[in-house]
Amino acid sequence: MKVPDRRPPRGLSPTALTTARRVLVIGCPGAGKTTFAVRLAALTGLPVVHLDDLYFGPGWSATPPEEWHAKVRRLSAGQEWVVDGNHAATLPERLARAEAVVLIDRAPALCLAAYLRRLLRHARAAEDRLPHYMRLGAGRRRVADRPVSFARFILAFRRRTLPGITACLAARGDVPVVVLRSRADAEAVLTDLGRGLPTDRTGEGSGRC
């Protein structure tokens, strides 16, 4: 029996990103969401928000559910943002306000490799370069929360988590979705976006009247 392809169809047109004021960047951990979101924010001048920075406290302590939903509602109500992160329980709230979505769908093995490299990088980094939730004080750090379980989550992401995300996107229906399957895809979209943005979005002339 042929195994069904659970991946969303490829979409590379960055057109919607040239005017969108609220953009979600979602996808498997290790896919490159944070890097893409930071670069997109730099191109567009939109403020970037990393959900993990809001959700986790010191030592990876989680925000209580009611407080977390309230935070996401306040964030989503903003007029401009690039939001990086999945946190599936609050995806519908963010999606209701989004004007565009970037879904990065890299191969799970590549995402896992990137995650492991990130752990190593954080283990070697100066303390002031770490996300606040990894710092335990007195020079101590905790660079991962249950890394073995998280690695399994990454490997199963396409099979177990991505279908729920694509169902949410389908339910919204009218939001443009840009699907990227590789770093080359991401680079191509960012390059095209930088060329096509109007002057008032980039601060530089785009060469267009």
Side-chain angles (χ1 to χ4, degrees):
M1 184 191 332
K2 183 178 180 181
V3 176
D5 187 351
R6 294 179 173 85
R7 299 177 300 171
R10 181 186 296 267
L12 290 178
S13 174
T15 303
L17 299 179
T18 62
T19 57
R21 293 288 178 175
R22 294 181 295 277
V23 183
L24 291 181
V25 182
I26 57 180
C28 184
K33 297 186 301 296
T34 298
T35 299
F36 187 93
V38 168
R39 292 184 62 188
L40 178 62
L43 280 172
T44 60
L46 300 173
V48 63
V49 179
H50 308 296
L51 288 182
D52 282 354
D53 288 346
L54 295 180
Y55 182 73
F56 291 112
W60 298 85
S61 57
T63 301
E66 289 188 8
E67 182 182 344
W68 176 233
H69 280 272
K71 279 187 178 183
V72 171
R73 285 193 294 271
R74 289 193 297 270
L75 168 63
S76 302
Q79 293 303 304
E80 296 186 336
W81 38 256
V82 176
V83 173
D84 146 42
N86 293 319
H87 292 265
T90 59
L91 178 57
E93 294 164 82
R94 286 172 278 131
L95 189 55
R97 290 278 296 155
E99 294 183 348
V101 176
V102 177
L103 171 58
I104 306 179
D105 179 35
R106 294 186 73 204
L110 295 178
C111 293
L112 178 59
Y115 170 66
L116 295 176
R117 288 195 298 270
R118 185 169 66 200
L119 291 186
L120 182 60
R121 185 169 65 250
H122 284 153
R124 295 174 172 175
E127 185 176 2
D128 61 359
R129 304 278 293 179
L130 294 172
H132 70 92
Y133 49 85
M134 294 184 184
R135 304 173 200 164
L136 301 179
R140 296 178 300 128
R141 67 186 66 192
R142 183 180 173 193
V143 299
D145 182 38
R146 295 173 291 180
V148 174
S149 295
F150 200 63
R152 291 174 180 155
F153 173 79
I154 289 172
L155 291 175
F157 186 87
R158 270 188 179 164
R159 184 175 71 256
R160 295 183 179 176
T161 305
L162 187 57
I165 290 175
T166 53
C168 281
L169 295 176
R172 168 70 195 268
D174 61 332
V175 65
V177 180
V178 179
V179 181
L180 310 177
R181 293 245 164 83
S182 67
R183 288 181 178 174
D185 285 353
E187 192 64 40
V189 165
L190 290 168
T191 298
D192 288 349
L193 184 62
R195 291 171 180 161
L197 281 170
T199 302
D200 63 353
R201 291 294 295 273
T202 63
E204 301 176 355
S206 64
R208 297 184 179 186
C209 297

